[in-house]
Amino acid sequence: MYSTQEFRKNLKIEIDGEPFVIVECQHVKPGKGVAFVKTRYKSLITGNVLTNNFRSGDTVGKPDLEMREMEYLYQEEDKFVFMDQSNYEQVHIDAKNIEDAVPFLKDNIEVEVLFYRGRPISIELPTFVVLKVTKSDPGVKGDTATGCTKPATLETGYEVNVPLYIEEGEYVKIDTRTGDFVERAKV
């Protein structure tokens, strides 16, 4: 069990048999009355964001979560298939549960799969991924002012702004947390 004193951003909690992750929390101590924690939390299963005030001293459950390293294999209709490297067990995860990660998924990438009571519910990508540029217009000569960028389409279909010197066929490093270009990569 977690007490409200332990609440912090990204803490995983369980309320009414459903796992949530705390998105925001603010400890409030009013001049009059009991202290409370103003909390926004997101369901790890449905993605719904809820807001609630917990009184000081309230407790919530600790969810039965497990992280396992797995490899992305392929997409099958509206599900994505991942394989455990140690026992070759394959699991299917609904596309709606990992829609933020889909633009960065390429074959054989290693990810952390989050299981809730033995059922896969979401994934955690590595911080950076290296992807090939499949489409990019050439930079215009003389257009070399500092910080100029152009759109580029990557092998997964994701579009990102890259510097003018990046060409088709090159590899780029992308930050999966923000979706931004980091640097040119060598493969």
Side-chain angles (χ1 to χ4, degrees), residues 7-49:
F7 279 18
R8 65 186 184 291
K9 187 175 180 177
N10 294 327
L11 177 70
K12 292 171 177 68
I13 59 175
E14 184 175 61
I15 300 172
D16 298 331
E18 186 174 351
F20 292 91
V21 62
I22 294 177
V23 179
E24 286 178 27
C25 73
Q26 180 182 10
H27 295 268
V28 179
K29 297 177 184 165
K32 245 182 175 176
V34 181
F36 62 94
V37 181
K38 194 174 189 174
T39 311
R40 285 185 62 224
Y41 48 94
K42 179 180 176 181
S43 171
L44 290 171
I45 295 176
T46 64
N48 294 339
V49 178

Side-chain angles (χ1 to χ4, degrees), residues 23-143:
V23 179
E24 286 178 27
C25 73
Q26 180 182 10
H27 295 268
V28 179
K29 297 177 184 165
K32 245 182 175 176
V34 181
F36 62 94
V37 181
K38 194 174 189 174
T39 311
R40 285 185 62 224
Y41 48 94
K42 179 180 176 181
S43 171
L44 290 171
I45 295 176
T46 64
N48 294 339
V49 178
L50 305 170
T51 305
N52 194 4
N53 292 338
F54 293 92
R55 295 180 66 160
S56 182
D58 283 355
T59 59
V60 294
K62 192 180 256 187
D64 177 19
L65 295 173
E66 176 191 2
M67 288 288 260
R68 293 196 335 222
E69 194 167 298
M70 300 185 105
E71 180 182 335
Y72 169 65
L73 296 179
Y74 57 90
Q75 182 177 359
E76 187 176 85
E77 294 174 14
D78 64 339
K79 296 191 183 298
F80 289 83
V81 181
F82 297 86
M83 179 179 69
D84 191 326
Q85 294 289 356
S86 60
N87 60 11
Y88 305 107
E89 171 192 355
Q90 293 184 7
V91 296
H92 296 71
I93 302 177
D94 287 332
K96 66 179 175 68
N97 290 4
I98 60 170
E99 60 190 22
D100 296 341
V102 171
F104 308 109
L105 282 178
K106 71 176 194 175
D107 294 347
N108 305 324
I109 189 173
E110 302 229 341
V111 298
E112 295 280 329
V113 177
L114 180 65
F115 287 82
Y116 175 65
R117 295 184 178 167
R119 193 180 107 216
I121 57 172
S122 71
I123 66 169
E124 196 170 299
L125 291 166
T127 307
F128 301 103
V129 293
V130 175
L131 298 170
K132 185 176 184 179
V133 177
T134 56
K135 182 176 182 247
S136 177
D137 296 329
V140 179
K141 189 171 184 164
D143 193 8

Side-chain angles (χ1 to χ4, degrees), residues 131 133 135-141 143-154 159-175 179-185:
L131 298 170
V133 177
K135 182 176 182 247
S136 177
D137 296 329
V140 179
K141 189 171 184 164
D143 193 8
T144 56
T146 311
C148 284
T149 60
K150 62 181 180 179
T153 305
L154 306 178
E159 273 199 21
V160 65
N161 285 325
V162 297
L164 297 175
Y165 59 83
I166 300 293
E167 298 176 9
E168 285 184 21
E170 289 189 275
Y171 289 86
V172 293
K173 189 184 224 182
I174 304 294
D175 186 334
D180 295 335
F181 167 84
V182 177
E183 64 185 4
R184 179 188 279 163

